[in-house]
Amino acid sequence: KAMDLEAKQADREARDKAKEKDQQVQQAMDSQMAVAVGGYGHERPGSIGGAADLRDLALDHALSPSADRSAGKQGVARDAVSLEPDLPLQVLKEGWLLKQSKKLKKWQKRYFVLDNVALYYCRSPTSVPDGFFAIRRCQFHYSEKTCCFDVITPSRVFRMQTPDGLLQLREWADCYKKAMGARDFPYFHVEQTTRLDLSRELLLGVMSTGLRMVKLGLYDPGFEEEIAFYTFDEIYSWGASDLQTFEFRVASERMPYSFKTMHAQEIESKLEAKFTRWRDWRLYQQQIQQSQGAAPASAPRVTGAHRGRFASGGDADA
């Protein structure tokens, strides 16, 4: 009987150790779910198996002692925290240009539209784009002698000519340089690699309250087609790697969103800054609401109108 008891106890301890090991493995897998390439990623504070909920954070612990001492009689901090307005997508320039063909070098009339992210071209102002050039992945050069400008991609050089002369060329050059110089613009051209139900090419926006995915293509200003918007309440983790990959994970979905982009590190740092400010804004709003005994305020966000002028985008750099 003593031997049976010892055997049962040893078996029970072995099962407990195996269960604990399985839990550790599962926890490690969960924490790395948004990190398909391995070795990177950031988890939200307090997010274990789901998105962090700021309602679970005690304000007396979230705010520093210095902030508590600087609060007024009603318990509201003196320094107000506000969210920065999100820059919208906008059309900078559009019109008819001549595009040189690849093989025969013939001039073809195409309608071009330039926004903050890409230069699109199509056969008419209302048709589906034949292709586009991602501004931050291409070089730009123009010649006043020939009234032409070149968009230089990693694969080839695309040449366009302004039919209305030098003044039109300078206008296009100024607008293109303006788009290239927008270093703090929140939208990035990315290529998603994990979702079969999404377009391969899309725009990823780092907003003041979360991440926004927008369909790539031409649109009326303010009416771009929004694919999805995930607030910081919903985002569980995010990260960038040296392999030009950015990923984020939503608590309600098992599969992460993975994107190939040369701006992965920039997206990560911008998202970290936006999240920090959003968290401070939430804590400040909760502090105000607690002092007034009112319901907590919700964060504003910019949304598209789910109506696109064009059905879908064309080929990249084509």
Side-chain angles (χ1 to χ4, degrees):
K1 291 182 180 180
M3 294 178 62
D4 291 341
L5 290 175
E6 292 178 358
K8 290 181 179 180
Q9 184 177 0
D11 185 58
R12 184 166 53 252
E13 292 177 354
R15 287 199 304 268
D16 292 341
K17 289 182 179 180
K19 183 178 180 180
E20 183 180 357
K21 185 176 181 180
D22 290 340
Q23 290 178 349
Q24 293 176 354
V25 172
Q26 184 63 38
Q27 186 176 3
M29 291 176 61
D30 289 341
S31 64
Q32 296 176 359
M33 183 56 63
V35 192
V37 297
Y40 71 99
H42 299 280
E43 290 191 5
R44 290 275 304 277
S47 55
I48 301 177
D53 191 346
L54 289 181
R55 291 174 298 181
D56 296 335
L57 296 178
L59 286 176
D60 54 346
H61 295 291
L63 298 176
S64 62
S66 59
D68 291 337
R69 287 193 297 268
S70 64
K73 295 181 179 180
Q74 301 297 326
V76 179
R78 294 177 181 176
D79 296 333
V81 180
S82 61
L83 295 177
E84 298 177 353
D86 295 323
L87 297 177
L89 284 167
Q90 58 181 339
V91 174
L92 302 177
K93 180 73 175 175
E94 60 181 314
W96 291 99
L97 297 174
L98 299 177
K99 177 180 177 292
Q100 193 175 62
S101 62
K102 180 178 180 181
K103 295 182 179 180
L104 301 179
K105 303 299 180 181
K106 292 184 178 181
W107 293 104
Q108 302 170 336
K109 191 176 181 180
R110 295 290 184 266
Y111 193 81
F112 283 77
V113 177
L114 173 67
D115 65 12
N116 310 89
V117 181
L119 175 66
Y120 308 89
Y121 61 91
C122 48
R123 298 181 185 274
S124 72
T126 57
S127 64
V128 175
D130 295 328
F132 64 90
F133 309 102
I135 291 176
R136 300 186 184 184
R137 296 195 312 188
C138 304
Q139 298 181 14
F140 179 82
H141 178 267
Y142 71 98
S143 171
E144 295 187 352
K145 293 183 179 180
T146 59
C147 287
C148 294
F149 66 85
D150 297 335
V151 178
I152 305 172
T153 71
S155 58
R156 58 171 286 204
V157 177
F158 294 83
R159 175 159 294 181
M160 274 65 68
Q161 187 179 67
T162 54
D164 294 337
L166 183 59
L167 180 59
Q168 187 185 23
L169 174 66
R170 290 175 177 173
E171 291 176 352
W172 276 97
D174 291 341
C175 291
Y176 199 98
K177 291 179 180 179
K178 179 181 178 181
M180 293 181 66
R183 298 299 181 185
D184 199 34
F185 194 67
Y187 287 92
F188 298 87
H189 175 271
V190 297
E191 176 184 350
Q192 69 92 16
T193 59
T194 57
R195 301 297 181 108
L196 298 178
D197 57 335
L198 294 182
S199 302
R200 184 173 62 91
E201 308 278 345
L202 52 87
L203 298 180
L204 181 65
V206 183
M207 305 287 99
S208 59
T209 57
L211 285 172
R212 186 187 187 205
M213 291 186 288
V214 177
K215 194 171 185 179
L216 189 62
L218 304 182
Y219 48 82
D220 293 328
F223 292 95
E224 59 270 16
E225 186 173 353
E226 181 177 287
I227 299 174
F229 191 106
Y230 295 109
T231 65
F232 286 120
D233 281 325
E234 303 171 277
I235 300 173
Y236 171 61
S237 62
W238 60 81
S241 76
D242 296 333
L243 303 178
Q244 297 186 347
T245 301
F246 174 80
E247 293 190 7
F248 74 91
R249 179 184 174 188
V250 180
S252 60
E253 301 181 24
R254 188 68 174 176
M255 181 180 295
Y257 288 91
S258 179
F259 306 96
K260 286 184 178 180
T261 171
M262 61 185 300
H263 303 285
Q265 301 291 342
E266 184 179 353
I267 295 175
E268 180 188 37
S269 60
K270 188 181 293 290
L271 188 61
E272 290 282 354
K274 294 287 187 181
F275 169 71
T276 300
R277 190 170 187 86
W278 172 86
R279 181 186 57 193
D280 294 341
W281 178 86
R282 285 286 299 269
L283 293 174
Y284 176 73
Q285 291 296 322
Q286 287 185 1
Q287 194 179 18
I288 292 178
Q289 299 301 331
Q290 283 188 1
S291 66
Q292 297 177 351
S298 59
R301 75 174 184 89
V302 178
T303 60
H306 297 276
R307 178 174 65 85
R309 184 171 65 173
F310 295 84
S312 61
D315 298 329
D317 301 339

